[in-house]
Amino acid sequence: MDRPALDFDEFYGVSSRRLLPALVLATGDLQDAQDCLQEAFARAAARWRTVRSCDNPEAWVRRVAMNLAVDGHRRRRVRRRIAEQEGPPAPAPAPGEAAVDVVRAVAQLSSEQRQVVVLHHLLDLPVAEVARELGRSENTVKTQLVRARARLVDLLSLAEQEQAR
Amino acid sequence: MTDPLVTLMRDGAREIASHGAMPPAAAVFREGRRRHRRRSAALGAAGAFAAAATAFVITGLPGGGGSANGQLGTDGGSTLSAGSGAATITVVTASTAPSYVAERLRECARLAAAAAQAARGSHEFRYQTSSAAATVTMYGCASRQDGVAHVSAVGEHGRPVLLHFTYADLPQAVPGSLRDTGIAGSQTWLEASRPGAGTVPCWGQPDPFQHVCAGSIVTPDGVEHLDPVLGPPCEEPRCSLIGGVVATNAKAGTVDARGVRLAAAVEHYDQFPGYAVVVAQWTGKHVTGGEFGDIRFVPAD
């Protein structure tokens, strides 16, 4: 493969590790998260010379992947195709109960709340940037964060810890 | 001070993520390049299409604004035959690639004007690019719902360039309703409903990073027809379903397996390999390029 492919490898290696956990929360499902992310990276690869020259290629992939996570209907093809070529992934042990619970709790948030939670808490985007990326006002984002938090505290029975903060 | 809830979420997400490995970069890259090759082939087809368009001069590009008035004449056999008359198109763009954009805008404009004119006589509408773009390829696509034309355009090369459609003049101008259902980020959702014969919602989701793809049409019988709007060969599973609706060189009046009637023959489009045209109609009328319907360019599998 030519030189851009080498850049892509590096980018993919670093960014996929960073983005996958966020997508797990955004979709509530590991496989869905992988689908979204693979799809986003495949799209980036298709126009890699342009994407790599972006100020923030990871933001490009993140945005596409998050859009896919919200849309929820444009996935699977990449994974299926790659699985055909590479074979299925190796079986993995089951995750811990706490991890499952928290992902499940986040999945119960509205998609709007989930987006802001993931972008702000998982990917460390400031509220202003979350607002800009999602086309919402900062106040709206703040409100959604507060409500999401309250809901998660309730779902995860964290009221005592929350009061102690 | 650490936030226990955030810590919990991060740890949980990381643990779940650690249970599934992403495929090798090379495999994903290969998949992307495969798409790139297909898209490049489609661009060649679109270029031929643009070259065949009648001249429609748009001035005022680029730099944030401009307008042009042009006389549309007959357009040499396009299915969206404009007939005679005038259409006014206002183009607002922040593009930085005037010649390339202008060429594609010209194609967009011609098709849109033709459709608008066919539907309503002369009409005015506006659209604008969402942001500056070094390069942008726009595929013109005109469709008519409620007698209203709209243009779909596609940003190419992955830049956030896709159009925001502004239909400021249209809601008052049409008997049905056409409303911008909100611009979230760089996405614009448009919804049109047609009075009588049920509601025909039609969505287009211009995505800044990909071709226009998502969308559906619900025919009066309640059947949803998955509907890629237009663009380079579409990779999406839902788009592949359009194969049941699309037929190159289908005869007018053909009803596909889902009950969508082709309003017009599509023989004009076989010169554009890689594309087919959906001409869906629900009114029972059949007039090539002139009656209510929905005309879209879609990839032909």
Side-chain angles (χ1 to χ4, degrees), chain A residues 43 74 81 93 96 121 124, chain B residues 10 15 19 23 31 205 236:
Chain A
R43 290 181 187 184
R74 301 188 196 167
R81 192 185 298 277
H121 290 312
D124 295 323
Chain B
R10 289 181 181 217
E15 183 179 344
H19 285 259
E31 169 66 14
Q205 185 195 22
E236 308 303 340

Side-chain angles (χ1 to χ4, degrees), chain A residues 8-9 12 21 34 38-39 42-43 45-47 50 60 63 74 77-78 81 86 92-93 96 121 124 149, chain B residues 3 10 15 19-21 23 25 30-36 39 157-159 186 205 209-210 214 235-236:
Chain A
F8 181 86
D9 287 358
Y12 179 87
Q34 290 178 316
Q38 288 172 36
E39 176 65 31
R43 290 181 187 184
R47 42 182 75 79
T50 302
W60 193 101
R63 192 163 181 181
R74 301 188 196 167
R77 190 156 179 170
V78 176
R81 192 185 298 277
E86 305 285 325
H121 290 312
D124 295 323
R149 182 179 194 97
Chain B
D3 182 335
R10 289 181 181 217
E15 183 179 344
H19 285 259
R30 267 199 310 273
E31 169 66 14
R33 300 310 293 174
R34 188 190 63 78
R35 293 178 182 200
H36 178 70
R39 181 174 287 112
H157 303 306
R159 302 290 290 179
S186 49
Q205 185 195 22
F209 301 121
Q210 57 186 297
E235 302 286 341
E236 308 303 340

